[in-house]
Amino acid sequence: MRIVQKYGGTSVGSLERIEAVADRVAKTVQAGNECAVVVSAMGKTTDQLVELAKGLTNKPDARELDALLSTGEQVSAALLSMALHKRNITAKSYTGWQAGIETEAIHGTARMTNVRTEFLEQALKDGIVPVVTGFQGIAGDSVTTLGRGGSDTTAVVIAAALDADVCEIYTDVTGVFTTDPRTVPNARKIKSLQHEEMLELATLGAQVLHPRAVENAKKFSVRLVVKSSFSEEEGTEIVADLEGLELQKPVTGIATEKSVARIAVVGVPVNRHGLAKMFSKLAEERVNVDVIVQSVVKERVVDVSFTVQEQDVDEALAVVEGLRTELGFEDVIKESGLAKISIVGAGMISNPGVAGEMFEILASADVTIKMVSTSEIKVSCIIPASQLATAVSSVHSAFLEGVLSGSK
Ligand code: ASP
Ligand code: MG
């Protein structure tokens, strides 16, 4: 098999951990696999590098900041290669540009545009383990970085470019869970799920995989396995399609988000471009709007409410207030202290009525639903943050432990 393994910051957080990773890579190679490795920076290195730059200037030059941040991964790649040599494995470290990773000419959040795989292919052919720095590439004569958490994306894109059989993401948890096990003790590890479900979960805040990595895995049909580098436990598999029983489960996982706030704009006379204007202005001010609900109250008058992150709510309110005369609405109200609970599952497509069941469960638990938004495979409810814990445990117990879980 051809395997790409990615090790996150905690997994390479110390020399001891790097030795453990080297053992695992060695084992993979000795079992007859071709293995390419992608590494993150050790522990909190990237944060420390950011701090270092800040100690010097508040506005570091973007090119030089990327040059600085990219060094974290270079340290882990070189050390891991040395640790592999100790085990008689031939290994070579590659920075992003040595590995042929080309990106947009943007600093801090560059997207990969191309991977020239000839060096990596040659290494694999020669029985060498390439150890590639995650989170970076090259554009012209500049090193670029992909954005925080970008190493997952590097691994997936390299796996796609090398046509690997699997991309294994090693982290400090044993897989993807039905919900956060720290809040719901009954949460369990999901054995397998689909790219689309993982994309929803990752976007909704499941920390284990970066959404961009999942997006690329979906795009290039890369089979992902998430598992712990600290144990031998089987992880979670993420694939393009699941067949059979698994699919019939309506709900695969639950994601939550705290610190949600809502802005309600009441009595907005309908004029052709009013709404568009409001949301473009919010986007211009970089306020990230999530759930939007519009309802017609009487002819040619609507109420519009939308959610933002708590930290953005005053900014959002100011933007809307600024349009008061132009839009001619009656009132604007802000509400803080909200949260979002979302159920995700590809099985919803073939199980109509899941949303209704969720509302029923929440009603029985005395949880107030303020807003709802759905997609084909997701139902999200905005609720008071104080009721989030109750909501999650009720919904988890109904859909993922009890009779609704499809384990009939
Ligand atoms: N080292 C980078 C970060 O901390 C990239 C990564 O770990 O994925 O964000
Ligand atoms: Mg990470």
Side-chain angles (χ1 to χ4, degrees):
M1 281 221 290
R2 180 173 275 193
I3 302 174
V4 171
Q5 295 186 336
K6 182 258 169 178
Y7 293 93
T10 329
S11 298
V12 295
S14 64
L15 288 181
E16 209 184 353
R17 291 298 315 151
I18 288 176
E19 299 260 21
V21 166
D23 283 339
R24 195 180 287 271
V25 174
K27 222 169 96 185
T28 310
V29 173
Q30 280 148 5
N33 299 298
E34 282 181 323
C35 186
V37 180
V38 173
V39 284
S40 284
M42 292 172 72
K44 298 256 170 278
T45 303
T46 312
D47 291 334
Q48 287 158 3
L49 292 170
V50 171
E51 285 307 310
L52 201 55
K54 272 199 197 151
L56 202 61
T57 163
N58 268 332
K59 276 200 177 312
D61 178 79
R63 181 182 189 277
E64 302 318 325
L65 185 62
D66 272 359
L68 178 69
L69 298 193
S70 66
T71 61
E73 274 70 12
Q74 293 174 34
V75 172
S76 345
L79 288 172
L80 178 57
S81 299
M82 293 175 200
L84 285 165
H85 298 160
K86 262 171 75 175
R87 287 156 179 80
N88 290 321
I89 304 282
T90 40
K92 260 187 180 177
S93 65
Y94 291 83
T95 63
W97 65 268
Q98 287 173 312
I101 300 172
E102 296 168 357
T103 75
E104 305 170 291
I106 289 174
H107 288 290
T109 53
R111 283 173 303 187
M112 288 172 270
T113 49
N114 187 29
V115 183
R116 294 174 40 222
T117 51
E118 61 254 34
F119 291 117
L120 296 186
E121 284 287 3
Q122 190 60 47
L124 289 171
K125 207 165 130 206
D126 296 341
I128 295 166
V129 175
V131 182
V132 182
T133 56
F135 165 68
Q136 57 199 272
I138 189 158
D141 70 350
S142 300
V143 170
T144 52
T145 65
L146 312 182
R148 299 304 303 269
S151 296
D152 288 349
T153 312
T154 304
V156 170
V157 167
I158 283 187
L162 293 175
D163 202 15
D165 297 286
V166 60
C167 178
E168 298 176 341
I169 307 281
Y170 286 92
T171 175
D172 50 2
V173 293
T174 55
V176 181
F177 281 72
T178 49
T179 194
D180 189 343
R182 284 168 305 187
T183 48
V184 179
N186 282 342
R188 56 175 176 77
K189 192 167 44 177
I190 303 169
K191 200 163 176 290
S192 24
L193 71 164
Q194 288 182 247
H195 286 137
E196 261 170 299
E197 297 173 303
M198 189 65 231
L199 189 55
E200 289 281 10
L201 288 171
T203 311
L204 289 165
Q207 297 287 324
V208 58
L209 273 177
H210 197 287
R212 237 168 96 189
V214 187
E215 207 179 309
N216 281 288
K218 179 169 179 294
K219 185 153 130 204
F220 300 115
S221 283
V222 175
R223 185 173 156 246
L224 293 175
V225 173
V226 177
K227 51 171 136 180
S228 166
S229 67
F230 294 80
S231 81
E232 290 305 317
E233 220 176 290
E234 211 176 303
T236 298
E237 171 196 52
I238 303 148
V239 291
D241 269 309
L242 283 177
E243 283 173 15
L245 266 186
E246 283 279 338
L247 245 193
Q248 284 162 25
K249 272 188 213 156
V251 177
T252 302
I254 301 171
T256 61
E257 193 187 318
K258 294 184 196 124
S259 308
V260 175
R262 177 166 83 127
I263 300 274
V265 193
V266 181
V268 195
V270 179
N271 78 42
R272 274 199 318 152
H273 300 291
L275 274 186
K277 175 106 201 188
M278 184 162 82
F279 288 105
S280 335
K281 191 85 189 145
L282 287 162
E284 249 171 58
E285 300 300 321
R286 303 211 162 273
V287 174
N288 221 333
V289 173
D290 184 16
V291 178
I292 303 175
V293 171
Q294 182 200 304
S295 50
V296 180
V297 272
K298 51 185 192 236
E299 210 186 329
R300 311 215 38 88
V301 179
V302 296
D303 287 347
V304 182
S305 55
F306 59 89
T307 63
V308 294
Q309 294 197 329
E310 193 89 68
Q311 71 202 41
D312 290 342
V313 69
D314 289 327
E315 172 101 55
L317 187 63
V319 169
V320 177
E321 282 288 9
L323 294 169
R324 187 183 274 267
T325 335
E326 195 172 336
L327 298 184
F329 53 80
E330 277 162 33
D331 204 2
V332 53
I333 301 156
K334 97 170 175 183
E335 184 178 13
S336 289
L338 300 174
K340 182 165 79 166
I341 171 170
S342 310
I343 53 173
V344 172
M348 276 179 210
I349 299 171
S350 50
N351 282 279
V354 175
E357 279 162 18
M358 181 179 188
F359 304 153
E360 188 60 51
I361 295 159
L362 291 176
S364 306
D366 284 329
V367 173
T368 317
I369 302 173
K370 304 250 175 185
M371 291 165 96
V372 174
S373 97
T374 64
S375 78
E376 243 184 350
I377 65 163
K378 178 195 78 177
V379 183
S380 299
C381 295
I382 302 295
I383 60 172
S386 58
Q387 298 174 352
L388 183 62
T390 314
V392 183
S393 72
S394 316
V395 172
H396 192 274
S397 104
F399 281 115
L400 291 152
E401 300 164 42
V403 283
L404 299 176
S405 70
S407 48
K408 306 160 207 165

